[in-house]
Amino acid sequence: MPTHYEPQDTPFTNPLYGHQRNPTRLLFQHELNRYHPAPDTPGAGVYPYVVTTYRLTEHFTAGGMSRWTPYLSELQPEFFCEVGPELAAERKLEHGGWATVVTARNAVEARVLVTDRMRPLRVQGRSVHQIGMPYHWGPNGYSTGDSANELASMALDPNVHIQEVKALTADIRPGRRPRGRERVALVEEYRRRAGVTERTGTED
Amino acid sequence: MAADGQPSRKGFFTDTSVCIGCKACEVACKEWNQVPEDGLDFLASSFDNSGRLSADTWRHVAFIEQRQPLGHQDPGVGRPEGGAGDAPGPVDLGMPSFDLPGQRTGEDGGSGGGDFRWLMSSDVCKHCTSAACLDVCPTGALFRTEFDTVVVQEDICNGCGYCVPACPYGVIDRREVDGRAWKCTLCYDRLGDGLEPACAKACPTDSIQFGDLDELRERAERRVEDLQEAGVSSARLYGEDPGNGVDGAGAFFLLLDEPEVYGLPPDPVVTTRDLPSMWRHAGAAAVVLLAGAAAAFAGRRS
């Protein structure tokens, strides 16, 4: 029987079913792989926005080949995040400027593209903002940038072991991310505010 | 092939209503013509990071995001405009309906679902019938080919740059590293071998169509009629009219909005059009000055 489970990171409770998350999913307890608090629990609002990742026409997978090619790199030269005008106003994000996206795993920086294509979702009577991120960048190559995969958690589906990189939650703030230790400190500060422990998000 | 043995005039018809913004034309052009990379600049201009045509960008895909509704039951190429009696509206099939996910969104509870469209258009050198770049070139580097296209010979160009301000579309440009002028050649080397230009070959939706200009014009007229009949009343041709300021472009476009929206000049005029009249006026002024000077000397003597 088909059923519906919410993703590991989600701002919403499962509308269909008593189990919030798939009880057969595979989780990995690791200090770099912390999960977000369940919706409607204290600390869930620390990561209030929905993130999804996708491809661009110009690049291939994580960009390991296409980011080394000048003709493709110049067409999409930088890692960016797409936000709607409402979210940009809420978080004072500047079109063409920098933003830092934070999860319990890591913080990455990306250029901001404010676009009407990103619309707030209206679910369960409230609206939640989306952040769209292509995942083609990394530290090497001709065109470089932070990797969207840094934000995702390892929570695998039981059948084919695919991690959840298409649906997660995060916070976004204007400006570039801190470097070195300060980057770790920022992620830890978010975890502290959300009350994230090694048990968080492991319930079904 | 025309009756006199000359090949017929070749050109591009770029139908932007089916452009999907893949930029394959930009890459294919650069690969074939060995055009250098144009800089890693993030322009925050939708998905367009090329910006404009230049010496190192001979095809440029513009991305325009608009807060305008698409028609319902529409393939995504335009909208029936309000009150147009002849434009067919959405057809009610009597099926039960509900909103698409994400349609009922927004802070207002979502009456504005779908009021967005994304225009994409691949721009290129227009290969004008009256080409100002050709008129002003002092070395003969720019020449008109047997296909009635306008091409720069890079081994003759001396980099004077007269052609750059002469172009009414801002297409031709000088390459900074070598100073010479570069632009689309309509793949002159491929045409000679019976091949179509690289961009048209690479275009997956046939948004870029290459062929005999007469035939392309007919095809474009039919396409506009089809779109208008389907309710896309904003469809129009740009640059195809032999009576326009450049006497008709060899590369013309089907647009879904005003040309300015795409960054195209609405009424371009060949910049050398007024040159004869300017020379006549300058000549008349010179004659008057000379006559005045002569009169002044003649007056002193008496």
Side-chain angles (χ1 to χ4, degrees), chain B residues 32-51:
Chain B
W32 180 263
N33 294 297
Q34 299 182 316
V35 180
E37 172 233 320
D38 206 3
L40 296 188
D41 302 315
F42 179 78
L43 302 181
S45 171
S46 193
F47 280 8
D48 171 18
N49 292 301
S50 308

Side-chain angles (χ1 to χ4, degrees), chain A residues 45-90:
Chain A
V46 173
Y47 307 103
Y49 305 122
V50 174
V51 170
T52 186
T53 62
Y54 42 79
R55 295 165 167 82
L56 301 170
T57 340
E58 293 84 350
H59 286 298
F60 183 66
T61 65
M65 289 176 275
S66 55
R67 276 187 295 102
W68 291 85
T69 309
Y71 289 166
L72 294 174
S73 293
E74 67 176 331
L75 298 178
Q76 287 296 355
E78 286 198 53
F79 181 41
F80 61 87
C81 61
E82 299 192 274
V83 296
E86 299 90 350
L87 176 56
E90 191 173 302

Side-chain angles (χ1 to χ4, degrees), chain A residues 54-58 67 69-82 85-87 90 95-97 111-117 119-123 127-130 134 142-144, chain B residues 20-23 26-27 30-31 34-50 56-57 63 65-67 101-110 112-116 118:
Chain A
Y54 42 79
R55 295 165 167 82
L56 301 170
T57 340
E58 293 84 350
R67 276 187 295 102
T69 309
Y71 289 166
L72 294 174
S73 293
E74 67 176 331
L75 298 178
Q76 287 296 355
E78 286 198 53
F79 181 41
F80 61 87
C81 61
E82 299 192 274
E86 299 90 350
L87 176 56
E90 191 173 302
H95 181 65
R111 301 294 289 271
V112 178
L113 214 51
V114 180
T115 167
D116 288 338
R117 281 178 290 113
R119 296 172 153 272
L121 300 168
R122 180 162 285 272
V123 186
S127 70
V128 60
H129 295 294
Q130 305 180 73
Y142 186 54
S143 154
T144 60
Chain B
I20 56 171
C22 69
K23 306 181 191 170
E26 290 196 35
V27 178
K30 291 204 166 196
E31 288 280 359
Q34 299 182 316
V35 180
E37 172 233 320
D38 206 3
L40 296 188
D41 302 315
F42 179 78
L43 302 181
S45 171
S46 193
F47 280 8
D48 171 18
N49 292 301
S50 308
D56 297 336
T57 299
F63 288 71
E65 300 185 3
Q66 290 183 324
R67 283 188 179 177
Q103 287 272 298
R104 266 181 61 80
T105 57
E107 302 297 337
D108 58 353
D115 58 346
F116 177 86
W118 207 359

Side-chain angles (χ1 to χ4, degrees), chain A:
Chain A
M1 273 292 284
T3 186
H4 171 77
Y5 294 110
E6 283 291 309
Q8 175 68 36
D9 288 354
T10 173
F12 298 108
T13 52
N14 192 342
L16 185 71
Y17 204 56
H19 283 290
Q20 171 72 5
R21 308 186 180 98
N22 187 339
T24 61
R25 73 196 187 281
L26 300 179
L27 298 179
F28 299 88
Q29 296 297 336
H30 191 278
E31 58 175 328
L32 299 176
N33 191 40
R34 293 291 178 240
Y35 303 109
H36 288 177
D40 299 337
T41 60
V46 173
Y47 307 103
Y49 305 122
V50 174
V51 170
T52 186
T53 62
Y54 42 79
R55 295 165 167 82
L56 301 170
T57 340
E58 293 84 350
H59 286 298
F60 183 66
T61 65
M65 289 176 275
S66 55
R67 276 187 295 102
W68 291 85
T69 309
Y71 289 166
L72 294 174
S73 293
E74 67 176 331
L75 298 178
Q76 287 296 355
E78 286 198 53
F79 181 41
F80 61 87
C81 61
E82 299 192 274
V83 296
E86 299 90 350
L87 176 56
E90 191 173 302
R91 283 298 158 107
K92 300 191 167 43
L93 304 172
E94 189 194 341
H95 181 65
W98 289 92
T100 299
V101 182
V102 191
T103 67
R105 278 74 65 177
N106 211 337
V108 300
E109 63 182 13
R111 301 294 289 271
V112 178
L113 214 51
V114 180
T115 167
D116 288 338
R117 281 178 290 113
M118 299 303 291
R119 296 172 153 272
L121 300 168
R122 180 162 285 272
V123 186
Q124 295 177 2
R126 65 191 171 97
S127 70
V128 60
H129 295 294
Q130 305 180 73
I131 303 165
M133 308 185 97
Y135 67 83
H136 301 296
W137 276 269
N140 54 4
Y142 186 54
S143 154
T144 60
D146 282 356
S147 165
N149 285 346
E150 300 276 353
L151 299 177
S153 67
M154 291 301 279
L156 309 185
D157 86 270
N159 293 322
V160 287
H161 293 189
I162 301 295
Q163 75 281 12
E164 288 189 354
V165 284
K166 296 296 161 197
L168 51 141
T169 58
D171 189 27
I172 189 167
R173 47 200 283 157
R176 304 192 69 158
R177 65 170 165 77
R179 300 308 203 248
R181 275 173 202 275
E182 288 174 28
R183 181 186 190 179
V184 180
L186 177 73
V187 175
E188 280 174 354
E189 186 230 314
Y190 266 83
R191 279 191 206 155
R192 212 164 29 247
R193 270 169 44 212
V196 169
T197 67
E198 59 184 28
R199 299 293 309 153
T200 305
T202 55
E203 62 276 11
D204 291 344

